[in-house]
Amino acid sequence: MSHTALAPNPELVPEETLIAPHGGVLKELYLSPAEAEALKQRSVRLPGVDLNTRQLCDLELLLSGAFSPLEGFLGRRDYDRVVEELRLADGTLWPIPITLDVDEAFAAQLSTGSEVALRDSQGVPLAVLDVHDVYWPDRLHEAKRVFGTTDRLHPGVAELLDRTKPVALGGRVRGIQQPAHYDFGELRDTPRSLREWFVSNGWSRIVAFQTRNPMHRAHRELTQRAAQLVGAKLLIQPSVGRTKPGDVDHYTRVRCIRALLPHYPADSVKLSLLPLAMRMGGPREALWHAIIRKNYGASHFIVGRDHAGPGKDSNGQPFYGPFDAQTLLEQHQDELGIQVVPFPAMVYAANRDSYLPSTEVAADDEVRDISGTQLRQHLHEGSEIPSWFSFPDVVKILRERHPVHAPRGFALFFTGLSGAGKSTIAQAVIAQLLEHTSRPVTVLDGDEVRKHLSRGLGFSREDRAANVTRIGYVASEIVRHGGIAVCAPIAPYADARAESRALVEAHGDFIEIHVATTLEVCEARDRKGLYAQARAGKITQFTGISDPYEAPEQPELRIDGNAAEPTALARQVLALLRNKGLIEG
């Protein structure tokens, strides 16, 4: 991709580029107001893409210049070199592929020179992509090179392999207007506005801190010491785009951090939000975060233990080593344009009644800690959270968000061939659930959903995927309010199931149960005569006969619907729910 100069934000005085305080060049991709209005009018007649959460975050950071020097979504040459070497085609350091994925039917309409309107979820045009490349990335290879694994327990891998469309569009973007945000407006800085704030307030040395969690005393100690170490002011810049499934929502995170600010020295800290869709890519992601913070005007960047790590893999081993991110950034320190500040974790020593770096812990120190799981347990039970762990005003916000004994919502998602026993087992599960709880349980059966929610949809791959996505959306709303959703569609396609999982996991737990009854058994049951009609050619696109069923690779539970009575199989499901702490007794 070429790196030609572009006009910046239409609300500002037009100019080609803006030199960052610490040597970088900021490239804003918005058109002038007159050009933007003309393009907005013309975009109505262009083929368009309604962007998902990740794509919308990427576009916002492209347009604002936070992804400088990128001028759009990566074409094939840039993509290939980023995947293999962490560099753009011209050699510029860039570790994460920024691609716009679309389906093959949409891509078939396009060619080099096409224009594509990029819209938000409400259909509002935000930019136009000038297509210069249409290509098919090797997603499996990308996962191996970028994330170092193909294990779907890695959220970035699961997103890439299961929820990313097969075709990528590369090209320059021209910005029409900024995405709309209705929350925390005073904290949503662009790179330009934040750097102008630094200048107007006389800040020249700024150390940035990345977080996706509520901050507690250990975070305060770490950031304050890091700032003192390098003689800098502190920029706390939490990611408020998409983070790891199961994370505390960004509203609560930001409220907690705001409550923490008075516990810093006066005029020493600035809070600003970053609309970043994290990939949880460990070392590569840390390098990416550093480049982004340079574009926002920071001179230093804190890199802690296991930066942007997603946890453990299928074998119970961490995806990345604790200091892999620090090592990678140190290798590229000379060309980064921002100074890396590696910092160990801070731990509380009860015998000293103080926090200290983990590297300074002595053999006789009484180290105490509260894990995320333990914190959630304290909140659930209403038990005391020690004052050494967090501040009362922060704990108060967390308790508001997580009321005592409030149950966590979850969705049971049964999938399998027609006649596998999904609905029967689901009914047995519901009956056993309601024997022990008064929690609301909502059933989203495949046939009933098609009758009431998906009327008019056919049985093409697209329509089937739309049906499953609708189920996932309704389930996510039920889960968001602490309810239990029991879903029992055929759901033959992995990507549609993955999309439902993503919708639900934004608010609670998604339990995929593959009812792996064999085709022979399902066909022998055939109470509705559907298999016989499919064999005779009277029903087309019938799953298992003339249309494929993509069996889940790693469901939470796999059961044979012919192996035992439904009541016995239901007990397996309830045992799983108890082990996960989702139900009691």
Side-chain angles (χ1 to χ4, degrees):
M1 180 183 298
S2 62
H3 303 313
T4 53
L6 300 175
N9 189 317
E11 298 178 359
L12 303 169
V13 177
E15 58 179 324
E16 289 190 342
T17 57
L18 184 68
I19 304 300
H22 305 288
V25 175
L26 178 69
K27 294 190 175 183
E28 296 172 306
L29 307 182
Y30 289 102
L31 298 173
S32 67
E35 292 173 316
E37 181 59 31
L39 188 58
K40 179 180 178 180
Q41 298 300 323
R42 194 160 60 80
S43 70
V44 176
R45 301 186 296 275
L46 299 176
V49 175
D50 290 345
L51 304 177
N52 61 31
T53 302
R54 170 179 51 82
Q55 295 167 336
L56 194 60
C57 289
D58 287 352
L59 179 64
E60 181 171 0
L61 295 178
L62 281 168
L63 294 175
S64 71
F67 281 178
S68 294
L70 301 191
E71 296 181 1
F73 294 97
L74 299 186
R76 181 90 219 198
R77 290 182 63 243
D78 281 323
Y79 167 83
D80 284 345
R81 194 164 182 198
V82 167
V83 168
E84 297 298 331
E85 303 177 46
L86 294 80
R87 296 186 183 277
L88 301 172
D90 67 2
T92 303
L93 188 65
W94 190 268
I96 297 291
I98 306 299
T99 58
L100 179 64
D101 57 299
V102 298
D103 60 41
E104 291 179 317
F106 183 80
Q109 310 171 42
L110 309 175
S111 60
T112 301
S114 296
E115 294 177 307
V116 175
L118 305 180
R119 309 183 181 110
D120 67 14
S121 60
Q122 304 300 312
V124 176
L126 303 176
V128 167
L129 171 70
D130 298 323
V131 178
H132 73 67
D133 216 348
V134 180
Y135 60 103
W136 281 254
D138 182 340
R139 302 296 187 192
L140 196 63
H141 181 71
E142 180 181 339
K144 292 175 182 176
R145 295 294 298 170
V146 174
F147 298 114
T149 181
T150 58
D151 188 334
R152 282 175 166 81
L153 281 186
H154 190 300
V157 171
E159 166 84 9
L160 185 65
L161 299 184
D162 296 334
R163 298 189 291 277
T164 302
K165 297 181 176 68
V167 187
L169 306 181
R172 192 174 187 266
V173 293
R174 289 176 285 157
I176 294 173
Q177 58 188 317
Q178 296 177 341
H181 294 290
Y182 304 106
D183 60 324
F184 304 115
E186 75 282 6
L187 301 178
R188 289 186 176 273
D189 299 287
T190 65
R192 175 188 287 266
S193 68
L194 186 57
R195 288 195 272 112
E196 289 176 344
W197 188 94
F198 291 150
V199 171
S200 65
N201 285 270
W203 288 22
S204 58
R205 290 174 68 84
I206 302 105
V207 60
F209 178 67
Q210 152 79 28
T211 182
R212 46 171 254 272
N213 296 305
M215 292 176 64
H216 302 290
R217 283 186 181 269
H219 301 99
R220 197 277 306 264
E221 291 291 332
L222 185 155
T223 52
Q224 192 167 312
R225 290 188 185 214
Q228 291 170 348
L229 179 68
V230 297
K233 304 287 191 177
L234 174 64
L235 169 64
I236 299 176
Q237 199 174 38
S239 294
V240 294
R242 191 196 56 197
T243 59
K244 184 180 176 182
D247 281 351
V248 172
D249 65 275
H250 82 268
Y251 301 99
T252 304
R253 279 183 273 139
V254 174
R255 291 178 62 213
C256 288
I257 295 171
R258 256 195 329 206
L260 191 72
L261 297 184
H263 298 281
Y264 286 92
D267 189 36
S268 69
V269 60
K270 169 73 171 173
L271 172 61
S272 183
L273 309 186
L274 180 68
L276 178 72
M278 293 183 65
R279 273 64 164 179
M280 303 306 299
R284 282 201 186 217
E285 179 122 357
L287 191 61
W288 190 39
H289 290 173
I291 294 170
I292 293 168
R293 274 28 182 251
K294 176 189 69 175
N295 288 327
Y296 273 92
S299 58
H300 296 71
F301 181 59
I302 299 169
V303 182
R305 179 185 175 90
D306 194 24
H307 188 107
K312 296 181 179 179
D313 63 18
S314 299
N315 297 315
Q317 298 300 313
F319 280 103
Y320 308 111
F323 306 110
D324 287 357
Q326 295 180 2
T327 299
L328 182 65
L329 269 75
E330 288 168 358
Q331 291 172 359
H332 296 284
Q333 178 66 83
D334 292 344
E335 60 180 319
L336 258 179
I338 185 170
Q339 186 70 38
V340 176
V341 184
F343 218 89
M346 300 295 296
V347 298
Y348 178 72
N351 54 305
R352 305 191 199 190
D353 189 25
S354 65
Y355 277 88
L356 65 154
S358 57
T359 52
E360 298 177 12
V361 174
D364 58 347
D365 280 326
E366 300 173 23
V367 175
R368 295 181 183 172
D369 189 23
I370 294 180
S371 68
T373 300
Q374 290 171 325
L375 175 59
R376 287 189 292 274
Q377 188 69 19
H378 279 300
L379 294 170
H380 179 72
E381 295 173 350
S383 52
E384 181 183 359
I385 296 173
S387 59
W388 58 260
F389 176 77
S390 195
F391 295 98
D393 35 4
V394 173
V395 172
K396 179 175 181 290
I397 293 169
L398 291 174
R399 290 201 187 280
E400 289 175 357
R401 180 63 182 84
H402 301 279
V404 175
H405 301 305
R408 181 172 173 83
F410 63 89
L412 294 175
F413 194 96
F414 292 86
T415 174
L417 296 171
S418 176
K422 302 181 297 299
S423 297
T424 303
I425 299 168
Q427 290 297 331
V429 168
I430 293 166
Q432 293 186 27
L433 275 173
L434 294 178
E435 283 184 14
H436 299 93
T437 180
S438 59
R439 292 178 63 182
V441 180
T442 303
V443 183
L444 298 171
D445 183 75
D447 290 340
E448 291 300 311
V449 167
R450 277 200 168 269
K451 183 187 300 182
H452 300 292
L453 188 64
S454 296
R455 183 178 296 170
L457 289 181
F459 291 89
S460 66
R461 185 180 182 102
E462 292 74 18
D463 282 359
R464 288 183 176 194
N467 180 56
V468 172
T469 300
R470 291 179 187 182
I471 292 172
Y473 172 73
V474 174
S476 73
E477 289 298 295
I478 294 165
V479 169
R480 183 162 71 93
H481 294 286
I484 301 171
V486 180
C487 316
I490 293 173
Y493 305 123
D495 54 355
R497 295 195 301 267
E499 189 168 355
S500 288
R501 177 184 289 273
L503 287 168
V504 170
E505 286 185 339
H507 307 294
D509 289 83
F510 184 91
I511 310 297
E512 185 176 45
I513 302 166
H514 179 204
V515 184
T517 313
T518 65
L519 176 61
E520 292 74 20
V521 171
C522 293
E523 196 164 357
R525 290 174 173 175
D526 202 16
R527 288 175 294 181
K528 300 177 184 178
L530 299 178
Y531 281 99
Q533 293 181 63
R535 292 288 188 191
K538 296 179 180 179
I539 300 178
T540 60
Q541 296 176 306
F542 190 85
T543 301
I545 303 299
S546 53
D547 211 53
Y549 177 79
E550 299 170 0
E553 293 188 6
Q554 293 182 319
E556 278 70 17
L557 181 64
R558 199 186 310 272
I559 54 179
D560 182 349
N562 197 45
E565 290 298 313
T567 301
L569 296 174
R571 284 197 289 268
Q572 294 183 37
V573 176
L574 266 68
L576 174 66
L577 297 178
R578 291 189 188 95
N579 289 338
K580 288 182 170 290
L582 294 173
I583 62 172
E584 297 178 355

